[in-house]
Amino acid sequence: MKILAAGDHFVLNSLITEALRRGVAAPAEITELTLPWPLTPFGKVAEVDEANDCEDALIEALDGVEVCVTQMGPFTERVLAASPALRMIAVCRGGPVNVNVEAARARGVKVCFAPGRNAAATAEFTVGMLLAALRRIPEAHNSLALDGEWDATHYTYTRCGPELEDLPVGLIGYGAVGSRVARVLTAFGAEVEVYDPYVRGDVHGMRSPSLQALLARSSVVTLHARLTPETQGLIGAAELALLPRGSALVNVARGGLLDTEALCDALDSGQLATAALDTYEQEPLPAGSRLLGTPNLVLTPHLGGASKAVAHKAARIAAAEVARYAKGEPLAHCLT
């Protein structure tokens, strides 16, 4: 069996190859192709989303390959058509958005993925962003480390932020990330409220009957929903207006959940006291983005799911799927 490890500078080929060597008992020839992410951004490539624009290099590397393990490889109709030996794609991500799944299915190519690989990392980052925004940690750091100023006004009542204990915090989405955030915030003593119409059973905190009810009661809102046609622009001007004045918002999910212009308006007017964003409607942020000039914002460049542990987990989950395929066993996370 010939396997291509098409990793990048996060999920390294060395991690993929090591996981494959440990897990795949059948003799395998492993070749490698290093894709440029995150040193170059992902984006739409032909008909697939969030991929590296390298169809030609991938087609060349797939010559005679039966199985490919990748994170950002653009498995478009064109790439699949040019790779007749391919029988399986193992994507080191929570969803195979970089694969034309229907085209793969039509060719008998199995498409697997790595659910939950970065749930812990993203949850931890969300809480970190929340604390940074509420307690104005980046602002205080910059005034001291960059400006050399011991700014005592950070200790004044008007500038110091709230604490999580007894704070009403609303979570929109209660999947692998949202449920972890809820547990952590509950441990801090926050009054956690959850809105997720697709999740049944108990939650940490209380369940909200509607999005509007949650917003009206939340001093902080964190977003954890998946981006779908139904959730595109989920939080806009009308929703932000429902929040108590001076609230905070955190988004480490997907930028498309949030109307950027409405967010900036809410920060400018004081309806929102602060916000923390890791994802954006357009990535990378364009030079003239209004976000870059709006005060009381904590901004990071889509880092929430990045940890060394995530890279190892992703490689192990994908390699385990390849091992099942090699043994003829049912696959655990397969769409086709």
Side-chain angles (χ1 to χ4, degrees), residues 306-322:
S307 75
K308 288 183 169 61
V310 169
H312 285 272
K313 289 177 191 175
R316 287 198 303 267
I317 295 170
E321 287 289 73
V322 177

Side-chain angles (χ1 to χ4, degrees), residues 72-158:
M72 295 292 175
F75 279 91
T76 61
E77 171 80 39
R78 175 175 171 243
V79 170
L80 290 163
S83 310
L86 190 66
R87 289 294 173 266
M88 178 186 182
I89 305 164
V91 178
C92 300
R93 306 172 71 177
V97 293
N98 53 311
V99 179
N100 183 329
V101 175
E102 291 305 316
R105 181 181 288 114
R107 290 176 169 79
V109 179
K110 298 183 181 299
V111 179
C112 304
F113 57 105
R117 63 161 195 163
N118 64 0
T122 305
E124 291 175 8
F125 198 88
T126 299
V127 176
M129 290 285 274
L130 173 55
L131 290 169
L134 289 181
R135 303 299 295 274
R136 302 186 182 275
I137 295 170
E139 182 182 334
H141 166 83
N142 289 340
S143 67
L144 183 58
L146 302 184
D147 301 334
E149 180 182 358
W150 188 277
D151 188 353
T153 65
H154 287 294
Y155 215 103
T156 61
Y157 182 83
T158 54

Side-chain angles (χ1 to χ4, degrees), residues 53-67:
D53 191 3
C54 55
E55 288 178 290
D56 292 338
L58 186 58
I59 289 171
E60 182 179 352
L62 285 169
D63 184 28
V65 166
E66 183 178 348
V67 174

Side-chain angles (χ1 to χ4, degrees), residues 127 130 164-174 177-195 202-209 213-214 217-222 224:
V127 176
L130 173 55
L164 286 174
E165 187 170 18
D166 299 325
L167 192 69
V169 181
L171 276 62
I172 300 173
Y174 196 75
V177 176
S179 59
R180 282 172 167 82
V181 171
R183 291 199 298 270
V184 173
L185 294 180
T186 300
F188 270 106
E191 297 178 0
V192 174
E193 186 169 354
V194 174
Y195 173 72
D202 294 335
V203 300
H204 283 79
M206 63 176 286
R207 184 186 292 276
S208 180
L214 177 139
R217 289 194 286 259
S218 298
S219 296
V220 177
V221 169
T222 68
H224 306 286

